[in-house]
Amino acid sequence: MIVGTQKPIDEIWSMVRDSKRVLVFGCNTCVAICHAGGEKEAETIATLLRMRASQEGKDMEVNYLSVMRHCEPEYFEPVMDEVKTYDLILSTACGVGVNFLADRTGTIPVYPGINTSFYGAVQQPGDFTELCGGCGNCILHLTGGICPIVRCSKSLMNGPCGGTKNGKCEVSDEVDCAWFLIVERMKQLGTLEKLAEVLPPRNWSPSTHGGPRRIVIEHLREIEQQEEKKG
Amino acid sequence: MKCGSNLEKVILSGQPAVTAELGPPMSADPHEVIKKAQILKGFCDAANITDCQTAVVRISSIAAAVLALREGLEPVMQMTCRDRNRIAMQADLLGAAALGLKNCLCLAGDHQKFSAAGRLKGHPGAKNVYDVDTCQLVGILKKMRDEGLQEGGDKLEVAPKYFIGASWTPMGDPLDFRPMNLMKKVNSGADFIQTQGIYDIELFRSQMEKIRNMGLHERTAILGGIIVPKSAMMLKYMDSSVAGVSVPKALIDRMAKAKAAAGEDKKKAKELQEQEGLKITVELIHQVLETPGVKGVHIQAIEWETAIEGIVKAAGLYPRPTFPVE
Ligand code: SF4
Ligand code: SF4
């Protein structure tokens, strides 16, 4: 899932302070799970903004709304007419949702209510950790299922640096050293010898370094186009 | 001969090699580099010029290396993977070779959050690069030198001839992976290795035994790292806080005793500890050099370059070998 955290209310206020009608627009999938931008959080932000507006003597109407997902148009299309009656939308979806909606609202600005941080998992309630960086060329089969690209602070591909101490990374005692975990896991799997191979410099272009990425699945598009013709 | 550097010649001659370290200043003033180069010259075969060590901005390794070279001290340019992508690395490697540099030590580099262990502001919010890692950088240098090719495959009209080095932390976590770690660097093309500081000689020797069983000591020249201890406090700090360094209690006790002998006299305590530190250093040098498979020592006297002369002499490693100019 995509993990984010709510922006400080002062920062949000600075984005919306001059608007008359503000919609706090939540997304009920990933960012709801991490308590950053689901309906509940959208409601809370709306309340805080209303209080702030009255404290500062601003004539501002703030409402909230949420849909299941902000990354596919069919989810927010039913509410688009209503959404477009506002003069500012504070989206608490992840950055994908903010971008996606912003492309569709014409003259109405869409601003981010959360900081989208990473792709992660729920280690335990309230504890979210980054486990994948979406590099576009997965190598987990070579590293015991532990990602060196985002779980190693230096994205090292061929083993640990000299900074590992007691299984922790040199950047912080709170951060596990990915390579310590990889070595332990590969030992457990009986595949440590696999690590002897030197991985050559990576092609980073399938990652965020080759320009914006797009994946087109031709047969899905064809089916869609046929349906449209029929309809 | 791969590059004809002085360091390579010493190693090929079979005599124990001695390298030291020169940390460039946080300043545009060349004089500190020049002064340190003059202090070290003649007492080591080459000196590492650190590359923004501890993630703090300093005179670049290449520039400081050229300053040292002009003083007659052979530099080992260090290159970290933190600050440059493969384009910048190779451009710098060509430039440095064109300026006459012949040794390059590849390393991952301290993370930008390190900021001199919090003593300086540094740039913890900087973006790091890590386009390639140490093994891959070693491989790039080898490909440039031996195949005359850039990493991307384009031809180099004149290939840079480097003596290729890499760092190694023999006693870092996970301990049983460290030999394989070295093997990967050697397989990538490391001609010489400088290790993290060694105090725990028993543990180092047991790691070296594994290295000998793998035959790695014959494929690369391992220089054991010696960090000159200045005080009991420094030894304790290194034991508890520096990754891959463990200091036996006996050594810490020796230093603590030297300190205690001075009573309340702080100046004397410093002197006595420094004396003891130099003694320990010379002992460690002998113990490391007596370890089969070791080809030399890399002595780091951090912000104490003046100590090198005495250490090298006391260790019986002076004068340093010289070779006729071709
Ligand atoms: S290797 Fe790439 S795709 Fe696989 S987990 Fe890591 S970042 Fe994600
Ligand atoms: S300590 Fe481990 S996780 Fe941290 S940078 Fe080094 S290898 Fe990567």
Side-chain angles (χ1 to χ4, degrees):
Chain A
M1 63 186 260
I2 294 178
V3 181
T5 53
Q6 203 179 300
K7 278 185 176 290
I9 199 71
D10 286 344
E11 187 184 352
I12 294 178
W13 177 249
S14 72
M15 295 179 204
V16 307
R17 58 187 309 158
D18 297 323
S19 304
K20 291 270 172 278
R21 259 171 67 76
V22 174
L23 176 69
V24 184
F25 193 15
C27 178
N28 286 319
T29 307
C30 309
V31 294
I33 299 171
C34 60
H35 297 253
E39 179 162 289
K40 239 177 49 208
E41 292 75 33
E43 184 183 1
T44 312
I45 294 172
T47 309
L48 290 170
L49 290 178
R50 264 183 238 121
M51 280 162 52
R52 185 73 173 255
S54 83
Q55 271 169 12
E56 304 208 358
K58 295 255 182 192
D59 174 23
M60 183 190 287
E61 182 186 343
V62 188
N63 295 311
Y64 72 92
L65 190 70
S66 70
V67 292
M68 199 57 203
R69 273 187 227 163
H70 277 230
C71 49
E72 286 183 75
E74 55 259 45
Y75 288 94
F76 54 67
E77 244 147 41
V79 295
M80 262 324 244
D81 284 343
E82 190 194 335
V83 167
K84 285 190 172 170
T85 64
Y86 289 87
D87 54 28
L88 189 145
I89 300 155
L90 181 83
S91 165
T92 60
C94 69
V96 174
V98 179
N99 273 269
F100 199 62
L101 186 61
D103 280 344
R104 285 163 177 76
T105 56
T107 55
I108 307 164
V110 182
Y111 289 164
I114 74 167
N115 291 321
T116 305
S117 302
F118 53 79
Y119 309 151
V122 191
Q123 295 286 12
Q124 50 197 340
D127 181 357
F128 304 89
T129 44
E130 180 169 28
L131 297 178
C132 167
C135 77
N137 184 10
C138 194
I139 51 142
L140 287 180
H141 58 299
L142 302 174
T143 57
I146 292 157
C147 175
I149 293 182
V150 291
R151 297 177 73 183
C152 165
S153 303
K154 300 177 187 171
S155 298
L156 303 178
M157 305 304 296
N158 282 294
C161 72
T164 325
K165 197 163 172 77
N166 304 324
K168 299 294 174 187
C169 172
E170 73 175 38
V171 304
S172 161
D173 291 343
E174 311 274 295
V175 177
D176 290 329
C177 166
W179 275 101
F180 187 86
L181 298 176
I182 292 170
V183 168
E184 289 306 313
R185 178 79 180 121
M186 302 279 280
K187 279 203 285 200
Q188 194 183 39
L189 293 170
T191 54
L192 191 65
E193 284 310 307
K194 261 191 173 179
L195 290 182
E197 191 198 332
V198 176
L199 301 185
R202 268 176 80 90
N203 172 8
W204 291 105
S205 61
S207 180
T208 50
H209 306 273
R213 294 174 281 178
R214 183 177 185 188
I215 296 167
V216 178
I217 305 174
E218 284 303 337
H219 65 273
L220 283 184
R221 296 209 43 181
E222 275 160 27
I223 296 168
E224 183 82 359
Q225 279 159 3
Q226 276 163 14
E227 304 251 306
E228 270 168 26
K229 263 187 219 157
K230 267 191 239 159
Chain B
M1 199 129 47
K2 284 165 174 156
C3 74
S5 74
N6 187 55
L7 178 60
E8 184 184 16
K9 286 178 188 163
V10 175
I11 288 170
L12 284 177
S13 77
Q15 300 168 74
V18 177
T19 53
E21 198 152 297
L22 190 163
M26 296 164 68
S27 153
D29 181 2
H31 292 102
E32 197 173 325
V33 179
I34 292 169
K35 198 178 92 202
K36 286 182 180 177
Q38 286 165 350
I39 292 169
L40 293 173
K41 187 183 160 183
F43 302 106
C44 58
D45 305 316
N48 286 32
I49 315 293
T50 49
D51 180 14
C52 295
Q53 201 181 14
T54 69
V56 167
V57 172
R58 298 162 184 282
I59 290 187
S60 73
S61 178
I62 296 178
V66 170
L67 289 171
L69 186 63
R70 284 190 200 152
E71 294 309 309
L73 173 69
E74 179 168 289
V76 177
M77 163 181 60
Q78 293 197 173
M79 186 173 277
T80 73
C81 300
R82 179 191 58 221
D83 307 326
R84 303 170 183 79
N85 70 5
R86 67 191 83 174
I87 299 173
M89 282 172 164
Q90 293 177 93
D92 280 351
L93 287 166
L94 293 181
L99 288 167
L101 305 188
K102 291 181 176 166
N103 307 304
C104 178
L105 182 94
C106 308
L107 65 181
D110 295 317
H111 193 272
Q112 68 274 17
K113 274 194 182 168
F114 196 69
S115 311
R119 276 180 286 109
L120 291 165
K121 290 194 188 74
H123 297 84
K127 186 174 182 183
N128 64 30
V129 181
Y130 295 111
D131 175 24
V132 297
D133 65 18
T134 311
C135 281
Q136 294 164 345
L137 176 55
V138 167
I140 288 173
L141 266 106
K142 188 173 162 64
K143 187 170 174 180
M144 290 175 96
R145 182 189 68 195
D146 296 349
E147 296 173 50
L149 292 176
Q150 297 185 9
E151 192 275 329
D154 289 329
K155 258 195 135 109
L156 296 164
E157 255 172 60
V158 175
K161 297 291 182 196
Y162 282 108
F163 196 45
I164 308 169
S167 58
W168 180 49
T169 307
M171 291 158 304
D173 273 343
L175 203 59
D176 41 5
F177 182 72
R178 293 292 163 178
M180 192 190 275
N181 209 228
L182 178 64
M183 182 183 77
K184 293 182 84 165
K185 290 176 179 177
V186 175
N187 287 349
S188 299
D191 302 309
F192 71 100
I193 295 291
Q194 289 168 327
T195 79
Q196 172 61 290
I198 302 158
Y199 291 104
D200 190 340
I201 195 78
E202 293 310 317
L203 188 56
F204 175 66
R205 286 185 171 160
S206 81
Q207 290 296 74
M208 279 305 294
E209 194 183 331
K210 292 178 204 150
I211 296 310
R212 288 195 303 277
N213 292 338
M214 293 162 87
L216 295 177
H217 64 302
E218 279 162 358
R219 297 174 51 210
T220 195
I222 299 171
L223 313 187
I226 309 284
I227 302 175
V228 183
K230 270 186 186 169
S231 65
M233 208 174 77
M234 174 179 170
L235 281 179
K236 272 189 216 151
Y237 170 78
M238 282 197 290
D239 184 51
S240 66
S241 306
V242 178
V245 177
S246 64
V247 185
K249 193 171 169 294
L251 288 185
I252 300 177
D253 289 348
R254 259 175 77 177
M255 274 295 219
K257 224 174 120 188
K259 187 182 175 196
E264 293 299 298
D265 187 342
K266 283 208 173 126
K267 195 164 156 259
K268 189 140 180 252
K270 185 169 175 272
E271 267 173 36
L272 291 180
Q273 287 185 92
E274 285 181 358
Q275 278 171 22
E276 194 63 30
L278 294 175
K279 259 195 234 157
I280 292 174
T281 301
V282 172
E283 289 170 24
L284 285 170
I285 289 175
H286 287 147
Q287 289 168 334
V288 166
L289 287 176
E290 281 158 15
T291 308
V294 171
K295 301 278 165 61
V297 281
H298 175 57
I299 312 168
Q300 288 170 262
I302 302 160
E303 295 304 321
W304 194 14
E305 286 80 5
T306 49
I308 294 288
E309 174 177 351
I311 292 168
V312 171
K313 285 181 172 165
L317 293 167
Y318 188 82
R320 300 308 308 145
T322 49
F323 302 90
V325 193
E326 281 141 41

